[in-house]
Amino acid sequence: MTLTCDSTAPAHAHGNPDAYERLLRNLIDNAARHATHRIQITVRNQDAWVVLTVHDDGPGVPTEDAERIFERCVRLDDARSRDHGGTGLGLAIARDLAHRHKGTLTLTPRTLGACFQLRLPQAPTPAEK
């Protein structure tokens, strides 16, 4: 697993720390289940957003299922669902938590694997308040 920060400034976002922990755990657990060898997590400030991506090198998600995977209890029938366990709730919960924090969670197109992008409104750093 690789963690990269593409910013020299802190990436602050307001919200519930327990909800953020659950959101991130769901994204990382999903990537760990489907990765072949590598997971890359990147955090950066982009305009007024904190942007976090979780990218795995697994089989990816077919374009036609890009939105469906965020529905409750959806597990794809192809290689992406080869894992054992799971209820198909993790990505639905993660997206709901992102929306509750005025953010978005999307699947971004990739040629290899799956890449989930979380965008949260950037909060002022403590010194800026």
Side-chain angles (χ1 to χ4, degrees):
M1 185 178 317
T2 304
L3 176 62
T4 305
C5 185
D6 289 344
S7 175
T8 56
H12 293 280
H14 288 298
N16 179 308
D18 293 333
Y20 282 146
E21 179 182 351
R22 185 169 188 191
L23 193 165
L24 294 175
R25 181 173 292 152
N26 286 354
L27 289 177
I28 294 167
D29 285 350
N30 182 70
R33 270 197 306 276
H34 301 294
T36 303
H37 301 291
R38 184 170 171 243
I39 300 168
Q40 181 173 353
I41 302 168
T42 304
V43 180
R44 70 181 182 279
N45 289 311
Q46 183 179 9
D47 302 320
W49 299 93
V50 173
V51 180
L52 178 132
T53 58
V54 178
H55 183 198
D56 68 64
D57 66 348
V61 177
T63 305
E64 62 271 14
D65 292 321
E67 279 301 309
R68 197 174 78 112
I69 60 170
F70 293 104
E71 295 173 9
R72 293 187 179 277
C73 301
V74 167
R75 292 176 50 95
L76 301 183
D77 294 331
D78 62 5
R80 191 107 186 131
S81 65
R82 73 183 185 277
D83 61 298
H84 302 287
T87 60
L89 293 173
L91 293 175
I93 291 169
R95 182 176 258 185
D96 181 61
L97 291 169
H99 288 169
R100 287 182 189 196
H101 287 86
K102 298 180 177 41
T104 61
L105 177 61
T106 56
L107 179 67
T108 60
R110 288 287 191 257
T111 55
L112 175 66
C115 183
F116 291 89
Q117 182 181 78
L118 172 65
R119 295 173 57 88
L120 296 167
Q122 190 175 40
T125 60
E128 293 175 351
K129 289 184 178 179

